[in-house]
Amino acid sequence: MKVAVLTSGILPVPAVQGGAVENLVDFYLEDNEQKRLHDITVYSVWHPNVEQHPALRSEVNHYKYIKTSGLWVRLKRKLYQLTHGKGYYHHSIEYFLNEALRDIRRQKYDIIVLENRPGYALKLKDATKARLVYHLHNDLLNNETQNCQQIYDAAWRILNVSNYITSRVRTLNVQDTKCKTVLNGIDLKAFAPRTSSSSPRKEFTIVFTGRLIPEKGILPLIQAMRQLKEHTDIRLMVLGSASLGNHTSTSSFLHQLQEAAKGLESIIFTGYVDYVKMGQYLQQADVAALPSTWDEPFGLTCVEALAAGLPLVTTRRGGIPEVVDKSCAVIVDTDEHLTDNLAKAILDLYHHPEKCRKMSEAALKRSQLFSKERYAHNFFTALQ
């Protein structure tokens, strides 16, 4: 088939600037390069680092770039905003879509995949005869979404990263047949656990990975560590920053976290960690604590912990229970007892190394469900 992929209009593909969605696009493009399944054209924002990327030498994956930065482009974007008024998305994203549409109207695609931008369909449905496929990584289409019925009706198929997201789309139609769940995947080799050491560790290390925002549950986790302060060999390593990417942030919430951790030498804030180094950090841990207090669409950080062979302490929110089970994770509710329950779960694993070992084995086994190869296979199967 002849397939087009419309990216988010923010980060480039290949994922030279990172981005969870962009990495997932790279995974299925890599699979397509190896198996030569379809002729795929990717519409992406331009970045100088893509120029010499080896992916651009592919014979089956093609890349069309749209410049969205620079003085001249900023002027064009502003002019677009003034002449087109308010769009579904921010004017910079609407400009990206408009530039992509110039080329799409001249092509004959069988399918156009909208990566986490279902609102694109409002313009695409009248600009092409191609079937529109939404690949939803977040809760972006439900009965409360702006123009939800128009967007839903324009879709041929809707691929969701979890059954939780599928259930949200089906608030529009309980008899829906468009939705299909395609669970995410990661490069398991990048998160492989450390080789076993003959000498036991002197400390019991908990690791948290993610943005330092309230929804990720980092504050109750720090409060749980305060309850465990008498156990001086239990440590918490916090990987991440308050903003996306390697940017310094002085958010009020970050200040609140620092205040909550004051006087606790057992808590280490690493700041931003490059994604390619994340596996090395996870190798230093004994347990991963990922206590999200919002409905995670999927929970990639949970999969990364599984691949590193780490037992998890996590929460029953969104798509997380689809990623882990009780063989490899302690799953707690995000109620008024969250802090106490986190402390209790950590202490239980601390006192029972054999339980940790069995959960670690189960984590590695379960991680195989989320390989990038399996993800790509299921993604393309869903397009057939």
Side-chain angles (χ1 to χ4, degrees):
M1 290 189 295
K2 191 172 182 180
V3 179
V5 177
L6 264 174
T7 59
S8 69
I10 297 178
L11 294 174
V13 173
V16 294
Q17 285 189 296
V21 175
E22 289 71 25
N23 274 298
L24 287 161
V25 173
D26 276 349
F27 289 158
Y28 66 67
L29 291 175
E30 178 184 319
D31 190 73
N32 190 58
E33 170 67 15
Q34 294 172 356
K35 299 176 183 176
R36 307 178 78 84
L37 301 170
H38 306 289
D39 184 277
I40 300 180
T41 299
V42 181
Y43 292 87
S44 166
V45 297
W46 179 84
H47 187 274
N49 291 354
V50 302
E51 293 288 353
Q52 303 301 320
H53 198 285
L56 272 63
R57 296 195 290 266
S58 172
E59 295 179 355
V60 291
N61 300 326
H62 319 289
Y63 298 82
K64 295 190 176 183
Y65 289 106
I66 298 165
K67 288 193 174 183
T68 56
S69 60
L71 178 59
W72 174 238
V73 174
R74 286 200 299 272
L75 290 172
K76 289 174 67 177
R77 280 166 39 187
K78 190 63 178 177
L79 179 62
Y80 178 85
Q81 180 186 17
L82 294 172
T83 55
H84 289 76
K86 182 175 173 57
Y88 192 84
Y89 296 112
H90 186 272
H91 73 270
S92 62
I93 295 174
E94 291 288 342
Y95 172 81
F96 167 80
L97 173 60
N98 188 64
E99 292 298 296
L101 278 172
R102 293 178 186 274
D103 187 75
I104 288 172
R105 288 190 176 97
R106 297 194 295 265
Q107 308 298 328
K108 291 184 178 180
Y109 293 116
D110 299 302
I111 284 175
I112 301 179
V113 179
L114 315 185
E115 283 292 343
N116 220 30
R117 289 278 186 254
Y120 282 170
L122 295 173
K123 291 183 178 178
L124 277 166
K125 62 186 178 66
D126 298 322
T128 179
K129 293 182 179 179
R131 292 170 169 175
L132 303 183
V133 175
Y134 311 159
H135 191 192
L136 301 185
H137 303 259
N138 295 96
D139 182 11
L140 298 174
L141 183 57
N142 56 66
N143 60 358
E144 297 179 353
T145 302
Q146 179 186 356
N147 300 112
C148 57
Q149 199 60 53
Q150 286 178 269
I151 294 172
Y152 177 84
D153 291 343
W156 172 66
R157 187 155 295 163
I158 303 173
L159 309 185
N160 305 300
V161 298
S162 64
N163 289 325
Y164 167 71
I165 297 299
T166 292
S167 72
R168 295 293 292 148
V169 178
R170 285 179 173 162
T171 60
L172 281 161
N173 182 1
V174 294
Q175 297 181 320
D176 163 80
T177 57
K178 296 182 179 184
C179 285
K180 189 172 184 63
T181 297
V182 177
L183 299 174
N184 285 339
I186 66 168
D187 183 356
L188 297 179
K189 293 179 181 178
F191 293 89
R194 69 187 179 105
T195 54
S196 57
S197 174
S198 56
S199 57
R201 291 179 176 175
K202 296 179 180 179
E203 297 172 342
F204 186 80
T205 302
I206 315 298
V207 65
F208 168 92
T209 62
R211 286 182 65 196
L212 303 187
I213 55 177
E215 296 85 348
K216 295 298 183 179
I218 179 60
L219 181 57
L221 179 58
I222 289 175
Q223 292 167 340
M225 286 297 296
R226 187 166 290 281
Q227 292 186 17
L228 302 174
K229 63 181 180 179
E230 293 182 1
H231 300 275
T232 56
D233 55 341
I234 299 181
R235 293 190 172 272
L236 171 63
M237 180 168 53
V238 180
L239 309 183
S241 63
S243 58
L244 288 171
N246 191 10
H247 303 290
T248 302
S249 174
T250 55
S251 72
S252 60
F253 182 68
L254 180 58
H255 178 71
Q256 185 180 355
L257 293 180
Q258 292 167 342
E259 285 296 310
K262 186 174 290 185
L264 295 178
E265 296 182 1
S266 59
I267 300 179
I268 302 167
F269 290 91
T270 67
Y272 171 80
V273 173
D274 193 304
Y275 189 72
V276 298
K277 298 179 180 179
M278 195 67 73
Q280 300 171 29
Y281 279 83
L282 293 183
Q283 289 178 353
Q284 310 307 314
D286 298 284
V287 170
L290 304 167
S292 286
T293 57
W294 76 302
D295 290 321
E296 290 276 1
F298 178 75
L300 275 172
T301 53
C302 290
V303 177
E304 292 159 5
L306 292 178
L310 297 179
L312 276 86
V313 177
T314 188
T315 50
R316 193 175 284 102
R317 295 300 297 262
I320 292 176
E322 300 173 51
V323 175
V324 302
D325 62 18
K326 64 181 181 180
S327 71
C328 58
V330 180
I331 308 174
V332 302
D333 292 315
T334 53
D335 55 21
E336 67 273 19
H337 304 295
L338 177 58
T339 295
D340 294 337
N341 290 338
L342 290 174
K344 188 184 301 182
I346 292 170
L347 199 57
D348 179 60
L349 295 174
Y350 169 76
H351 284 306
H352 297 93
E354 182 60 20
K355 181 178 181 178
C356 270
R357 186 189 65 77
K358 289 181 178 179
M359 289 178 70
S360 175
E361 292 175 355
L364 284 172
K365 183 177 180 180
R366 189 162 180 83
S367 71
Q368 300 304 308
L369 299 173
F370 307 104
S371 69
K372 64 177 183 177
E373 293 81 11
R374 185 168 183 157
Y375 154 73
H377 170 79
N378 291 341
F379 176 83
F380 286 122
T381 298
L383 292 186
Q384 296 301 322

